[in-house]
Each structure stands twice: as C-alpha cells, then as structure tokens.
Amino acid sequence: MINVTVWNENRHEQKNPVVREIYPEGIHGAIASFLEEGGFRTHTATLDEVEHGLTEEVLNQTDVLVWWGHLAHDEVKDEIVEKVKQRVLDGMGLIVLHSGHFSKIFKTLMGTSCDLKWREADEKERLWVVEPSHPIVEGIGEFIELEREEMYGEHFDIPAPDELIFTSWFEGGEIFRSGCAYKRGNGKVFYFRPGHETYPTYHNKDIQRVIMNAIKWAKPAERKSPVYGNAQPLESIAVKN
C-alpha cells in the first residue's frame, strides 16, 4: 500500500466561508478522503502544526507527498523545504497542486520563478490530454472539462517538462501547461494545475482519478538506492607502468 501525506496550508478554510462550505474538512481532508477510498494509506499535515506536520518521522514514512498552498508560501520554514527536497532527491514522489506552483519546494526543485498570468472570472477550463499513453491519464478521455475555474496563462516560467501530460484551454482564450512531469534525483514530481479554493474541483471524479494515477506513477521505485561517492572497482585494474 502506498503511504501518502496530503499537505495543505489550511488558511483559506479558516478565513473564507465559501471555502469552508465547499471543503468542510479542509482541502487536505477532501483529498485524503478520496485517496483513502481509492486504497491509499493517507495522512494529513498542515502549516500550523509543529514542523508544519512534516517531521522527519512523517517524511520518512511518506512515499508520495501531495502539496497545496497559496496564502502562506513564505511562512514555510526553509529547513522544512530542505528536508522535503532531500526526500524527493532520495526517491519520494511529490504532487504539487494549483497555486503550489509558487511554493518554496516547487520553485526550489524547478530553479525558476514559476510565475504565470492569472484571472478569476468563473470561466470554463478544458484540460486536453496531450500524452494519451501516459499512466497519469489512465481512465481519462480526450479532455476534462471544468465548468468554472481560475485561469492560469502562459508564459509559465518553468523548465521544459520531461513529459507534458495536459494542456489547458480557457474560455477567455489563454492556454496553459497544466500537467507537467519531472524527474529530480531519484524522485518524481508532477504539477497539476486545477484546484482553486472557491470551486469544487477536488470533488470532480476525473480530477480525483488523475491525482490517484499521479501518486501511483510517482511512488518510489522498488530497488536499492544508488551509491554515490568514491567507489571500489568491480574488476581488477591492471597496474600500468
């Protein structure tokens, strides 16, 4: 069974009654709920917990970390970011959702500003599958249509994805690279765009399916970890005069 930690800053839920109505158990609670139904062993963590809920014990037991943040990126402690980064490099999967594009951990792993253009106008989003053979889109049709979402538009200042899975079109005319897969060290990272807090996006079955597929894709490989540093030869090396 895959061990998943769902991290959420949990600030909108405390400040905005609309968000509380849509996600009474928090965004993290909503995501954890459908993951548990999908057969994952799930744990949640939030910003205001000790060490943001991401203690060394929690991280060491996490196969895949799901990250949602927006209002309080700067409040995430740098030492926790460094621990998460090291776990990713060691093999832990990371799924970054929506406004997590501006999180410290995503920007650190990408090495760019991760900036973009945005607009809140209740517009339709159509997420087109552009890599139909990828396991992240198993069970998904040609596109996912969301009646209302926040617009994110290009240019999205990220490194070229190792694999581009989704491209979004918005009612206002913009497009966006909405499903981006990366390898970092021994770990895998997937950025998935939809999920603005005032819309019920995480109740959508196709969105849930993509997140579950992404977790399965990003789980650590079942293999011995590579050994780095000075190495002894596997074969005899002839002494040269």
Side-chain angles (χ1 to χ4, degrees), residues 14-104:
Q14 299 177 42
K15 296 173 178 289
N16 190 332
V18 174
V19 181
R20 283 199 302 273
E21 182 177 354
I22 297 170
Y23 299 113
E25 302 301 321
I27 291 172
H28 54 296
I31 294 172
S33 179
F34 71 73
L35 292 181
E36 287 170 0
E37 291 178 5
F40 299 91
R41 184 182 291 115
T42 307
H43 172 81
T44 62
T46 57
L47 179 68
D48 292 327
E49 294 177 44
V50 176
E51 296 186 56
H52 309 320
L54 299 175
T55 63
E56 195 163 327
E57 180 181 6
V58 168
L59 287 174
N60 287 341
Q61 294 176 354
T62 300
D63 296 318
V64 180
L65 176 62
V66 178
W67 191 283
W68 198 101
H70 183 200
L71 291 176
H73 296 312
D74 290 343
E75 294 182 41
V76 178
K77 296 177 181 177
D78 291 341
E79 56 265 32
I80 302 300
V81 174
E82 187 58 33
K83 287 181 181 180
V84 173
K85 173 187 172 183
Q86 191 56 53
R87 281 288 290 127
V88 172
L89 298 180
D90 289 342
M92 182 183 74
L94 177 66
I95 312 300
V96 178
L97 301 175
H98 190 57
S99 46
H101 72 91
F102 244 4
S103 64
K104 286 183 178 180

Side-chain angles (χ1 to χ4, degrees), residues 97-147:
L97 301 175
H98 190 57
S99 46
H101 72 91
F102 244 4
S103 64
K104 286 183 178 180
I105 182 57
F106 190 64
K107 291 168 74 174
T108 296
L109 289 167
M110 295 299 104
T112 57
S113 76
C114 299
D115 212 346
L116 45 78
K117 60 172 61 76
W118 60 276
R119 175 176 63 242
E120 292 182 39
D122 289 356
E123 55 197 290
K124 180 187 296 182
E125 176 181 8
R126 193 172 289 138
L127 296 103
W128 286 95
V129 174
V130 295
E131 187 52 78
S133 65
H134 201 282
I136 287 178
V137 295
E138 182 178 344
I140 302 299
E142 284 192 302
F143 58 85
I144 299 171
E145 188 162 300
L146 300 174
E147 182 180 352

Side-chain angles (χ1 to χ4, degrees), residues 86-219:
Q86 191 56 53
R87 281 288 290 127
V88 172
L89 298 180
D90 289 342
M92 182 183 74
L94 177 66
I95 312 300
V96 178
L97 301 175
H98 190 57
S99 46
H101 72 91
F102 244 4
S103 64
K104 286 183 178 180
I105 182 57
F106 190 64
K107 291 168 74 174
T108 296
L109 289 167
M110 295 299 104
T112 57
S113 76
C114 299
D115 212 346
L116 45 78
K117 60 172 61 76
W118 60 276
R119 175 176 63 242
E120 292 182 39
D122 289 356
E123 55 197 290
K124 180 187 296 182
E125 176 181 8
R126 193 172 289 138
L127 296 103
W128 286 95
V129 174
V130 295
E131 187 52 78
S133 65
H134 201 282
I136 287 178
V137 295
E138 182 178 344
I140 302 299
E142 284 192 302
F143 58 85
I144 299 171
E145 188 162 300
L146 300 174
E147 182 180 352
R148 294 182 302 140
E149 253 294 354
E150 179 181 16
M151 183 280 291
Y152 280 5
E154 295 286 350
H155 175 245
F156 187 15
D157 186 22
I158 52 172
D162 295 329
E163 297 172 297
L164 180 61
I165 316 299
F166 289 99
T167 298
S168 283
W169 166 88
F170 291 89
E171 193 173 348
E174 288 84 3
I175 62 168
F176 191 76
R177 288 167 289 169
S178 287
C180 303
Y182 297 91
K183 294 177 183 176
R184 289 293 184 267
N186 293 294
K188 295 177 181 178
V189 179
F190 181 60
Y191 172 74
F192 191 40
R193 195 218 72 82
H196 185 64
E197 64 276 0
T198 59
Y199 303 126
T201 299
Y202 295 123
H203 296 306
N204 181 288
K205 295 300 181 182
D206 283 339
I207 298 300
Q208 294 177 3
R209 181 68 181 266
V210 170
I211 293 171
M212 289 189 284
N213 288 346
I215 289 169
K216 293 174 184 176
W217 167 82
K219 70 177 183 179

